[in-house]
């Protein structure tokens, strides 16, 4: 059991320690891109308060911490020799975790690409995959003596869709289907990084995919086709190449121009585990606009989070047993690397307790049904910078007062603490 966070969402200190700008600095400082113009400039000030935050984890009683490394701290301009001051921060963090008996599980890319790489094409460019592998090697050179479990990428589907297809996240490009190369280059970077990590002694390497069980809004053929397409883009585009070394057939033509010989073998480098972030299922209908492929429909009759996301714990059980049924022995052990909900700005968050309780129960049932689940991470330890929603969505077991940086554990924190005892 652990908690998850991500660098740009909590660290702040964006110009300290020699950190270079990331695409999220640029995006959040562009008027109109985030709610209230919020930025990650200060966020939870975790860069300075990390020790206090690790103490919170000790108090909670979790055995593992999933955090992400900010690439622009390690290579401020995206390439070249690693920046020692940047590495020092994660070095201290890893030592701090070891001293508290908490396992460190770094994610190497949780969306904060160095702006300098975006200027050279970002993930639309194959070059970024090569740079990512090089960066992964630098980080492992420094902390790989103490870290054996790694996550390469966080949710490449969300980065592709929101960042490059729809423009709702950094880097804010609106390429629609032309964003497809971003999938391939991220996956290639993942595969190359797996090899770099293994060479440096990593024993457990995974990718974290955002997965959602997809249902058609009706049994009409057009809704079913739309649901199949959505499932193809959201789930299969990222699970299939890493698990079985091929893309969903309907995407072969679109991806052909960027796939080179040998790429799929690199992408399918065997994984020790699959990381899954689950928040909700998705209901899909045929498109109402001719230039779209599908419409997303609200799921009625279930509670919704402050964010408006439907709460369906059974979706997690169905997702896990479905992956097992689809991929059989090709499915490695699974970690739920994120699950959680946003609530209003309250301390008595019974809503979150019910959410977590329901989803843990769903995981338990999946385990009984034969799925090998090795871990579960709550998103998130702290309220933080929720991307385009700024500070309006509070996902923390711990409330953060962003004026004073005071941390206050919520009822859900106590509940989890008791459960872990
Ligand atoms: C996931 C992201 C994470 C956080 C949660 C709410 O998609 O990986 O950073 O924003 O959603």
């Amino acid at each position: 059991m652990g908690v998850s966070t991500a660098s740009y969402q909590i660290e702040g200190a964006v110009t300290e320690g020699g950190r270079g700008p990331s695409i999220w600095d640029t995006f959040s400082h562009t008027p109109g891109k985030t709610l209230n113009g919020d930025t990650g400039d200060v966020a939870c000030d975790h860069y300075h308060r990390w020790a206090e935050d690790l103490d919170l984890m000790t108090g909670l009683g979790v055995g593992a911490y999933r955090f992400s490394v900010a690439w622009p701290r390690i290579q401020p301009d995206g390439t070249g020799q690693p920046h020692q001051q940047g590495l020092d921060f994660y070095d201290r963090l890893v030592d701090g975790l070891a001293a508290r008996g908490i396992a460190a599980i770094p994610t190497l890319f949780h969306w904060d690409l160095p702006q300098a790489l975006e200027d050279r094409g970002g993930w639309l460019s194959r070059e970024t995959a090569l740079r990512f592998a090089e960066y992964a090697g630098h980080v492992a050179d420094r902390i790989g003596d103490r870290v054996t479990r790694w996550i390469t990428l966080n949710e490449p589907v969300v980065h592709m869709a929101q960042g490059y297809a729809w423009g709702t996240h950094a880097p804010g490009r609106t390429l629609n289907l032309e964003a497809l190369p971003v999938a391939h280059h991220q996956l290639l970077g993942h595969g190359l990084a797996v090899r770099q990590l293994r060479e440096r002694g990593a024993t457990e390497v995974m990718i974290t995919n955002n997965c959602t069980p997809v249902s058609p809004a009706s049994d009409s053929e057009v809704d079913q086709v739309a649901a199949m397409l959505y499932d193809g883009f959201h789930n299969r585009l990222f699970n299939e190449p890493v698990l079985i070394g091929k893309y969903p057939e309907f995407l072969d033509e679109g991806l052909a121009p960027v796939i080179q010989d040998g790429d799929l073998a690199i992408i399918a480098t065997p994984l020790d585990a699959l990381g899954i972030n689950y928040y909700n299922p998705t209901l899909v209908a045929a498109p109402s606009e001719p230039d779209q492929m599908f419409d997303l429909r609200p799921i009625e009759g279930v509670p919704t989070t402050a964010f408006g996301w439907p709460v369906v714990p059974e979706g997690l059980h169905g997702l896990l047993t479905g992956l097992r049924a689809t991929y059989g022995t090709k499915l490695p052990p699974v970690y739920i690397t994120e699950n959680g909900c946003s609530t209003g700005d309250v301390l008595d968050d019974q809503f979150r307790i019910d959410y977590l309780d329901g989803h843990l129960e769903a995981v338990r049932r999946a385990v009984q049904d034969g799925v090998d689940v090795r871990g579960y991470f709550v998103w998130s330890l702290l309220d933080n910078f929720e991307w385009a929603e700024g500070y309006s969505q509070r996902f923390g077991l711990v409330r953060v007062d962003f004026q004073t940086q005071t941390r206050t554990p919520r009822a859900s924190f106590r509940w989890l603490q008791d459960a872990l005892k």
Side-chain angles (χ1 to χ4, degrees):
M1 173 75 74
V3 286
S4 272
T5 66
S7 47
Y8 189 74
Q9 294 182 275
I10 64 166
E11 284 181 3
V14 291
T15 56
E16 281 179 63
R19 178 185 179 279
S22 79
I23 56 173
W24 268 97
D25 298 285
T26 310
F27 187 79
S28 66
H29 280 271
T30 306
K33 298 295 185 192
T34 64
L35 193 67
N36 303 319
D38 288 347
T39 74
D41 287 2
V42 180
C44 306
D45 194 33
H46 172 79
Y47 187 77
H48 299 115
R49 295 169 197 263
W50 61 270
E52 178 187 347
D53 293 338
L54 299 198
D55 288 343
L56 282 166
M57 290 175 218
T58 307
L60 182 57
V62 287
Y65 176 38
R66 171 181 179 242
F67 59 95
S68 81
V69 177
W71 188 348
R73 291 200 189 280
I74 311 305
Q75 290 179 308
D77 57 10
T79 176
Q81 283 313 303
H83 182 61
Q84 294 307 318
Q85 238 185 314
L87 287 168
D88 290 345
F89 174 69
Y90 299 102
D91 197 271
R92 284 194 297 271
L93 188 72
V94 165
D95 279 347
L97 286 164
R100 292 165 178 82
I102 300 172
I105 308 190
T107 300
L108 286 163
F109 180 70
H110 200 129
W111 306 347
D112 44 358
L113 190 76
Q115 179 62 42
L117 289 182
E118 176 59 25
D119 297 342
R120 280 173 254 154
W123 288 107
L124 287 164
S125 160
R126 185 178 176 92
E127 190 59 24
T128 299
L130 312 183
R131 297 284 71 79
F132 177 67
E134 174 192 85
Y135 148 71
H138 289 321
V139 179
D141 279 340
R142 176 58 96 80
I143 58 175
D145 54 338
R146 287 149 290 157
V147 171
T148 56
R149 262 189 275 175
W150 296 84
I151 297 170
T152 54
L153 307 176
N154 177 72
E155 298 187 352
V157 65
V158 176
H159 193 53
M160 172 191 76
Q162 300 226 41
Y164 289 85
W166 309 331
T168 44
H169 279 183
R173 314 234 2 209
T174 48
L175 298 169
N176 292 316
L177 274 180
E178 307 285 305
L180 212 46
V182 171
H184 183 65
H185 295 143
Q186 286 185 95
L187 288 164
L188 181 64
H190 153 78
L192 292 167
V194 173
R195 296 176 174 200
Q196 295 295 318
L197 295 169
R198 286 259 164 73
E199 278 170 22
R200 290 162 177 82
T203 55
E204 224 181 330
V205 185
M206 59 186 128
I207 187 171
T208 278
N209 281 338
N210 180 300
C211 296
T212 181
V214 179
S215 322
S218 79
D219 52 17
S220 77
E221 203 182 319
V222 280
D223 284 354
Q224 291 193 32
V225 170
M228 251 167 48
L229 286 173
Y230 190 86
D231 183 47
F233 276 104
H234 193 110
N235 299 310
R236 293 174 58 213
L237 170 56
F238 295 90
N239 287 332
E240 274 173 29
V242 297
L243 298 181
I244 56 176
K246 63 178 201 55
Y247 282 114
E249 257 164 46
F250 79 101
L251 291 169
D252 278 346
E253 204 183 308
L255 284 163
V258 291
I259 302 179
Q260 294 186 9
D261 281 353
D263 283 3
L264 277 157
I266 294 169
I267 293 171
T269 304
L271 291 177
D272 307 290
L274 178 67
I276 291 174
N277 292 354
Y278 171 78
Y279 288 93
N280 53 257
T282 307
L283 190 66
V284 180
S288 47
E289 302 288 329
D291 59 339
Q292 299 296 315
M293 280 183 290
F294 35 70
D295 274 1
L296 301 185
R297 289 284 170 79
I299 295 177
E300 311 284 356
V302 297
T304 51
T305 71
F307 218 142
W309 296 354
V311 180
V312 187
E314 168 54 31
L316 181 51
H317 171 261
L319 171 69
L320 292 169
T321 51
L323 284 169
R324 170 88 190 143
T326 307
Y327 298 108
T329 54
K330 300 275 185 196
L331 181 71
V334 167
Y335 284 84
I336 309 302
T337 40
E338 284 181 28
N339 180 236
C341 63
S342 64
T343 59
D345 186 9
V346 294
L347 286 173
D348 182 9
D349 56 344
Q350 187 61 41
F351 189 91
R352 178 170 289 105
I353 295 175
D354 293 342
Y355 183 99
L356 296 176
D357 200 25
H359 286 78
L360 281 164
E361 179 54 30
V363 174
R364 253 179 247 124
R365 279 191 290 122
V367 171
Q368 277 162 12
D369 293 340
V371 187
D372 185 358
V373 183
R374 298 279 171 95
Y376 173 96
F377 292 75
V378 178
W379 183 272
S380 183
L381 176 70
L382 304 168
D383 291 343
N384 59 49
F385 174 77
E386 178 49 36
W387 309 114
E389 303 304 318
Y391 295 97
S392 68
Q393 295 300 327
R394 293 177 175 267
F395 276 89
L397 295 167
V398 176
R399 176 179 187 266
V400 177
D401 178 326
F402 292 103
Q403 251 63 58
T404 62
Q405 292 296 342
T406 305
R407 275 90 163 123
T408 312
R410 293 198 164 101
S412 57
F413 182 100
R414 306 280 172 222
W415 171 82
L416 193 57
Q417 189 179 46
D418 287 345
L420 286 168
K421 273 183 201 147

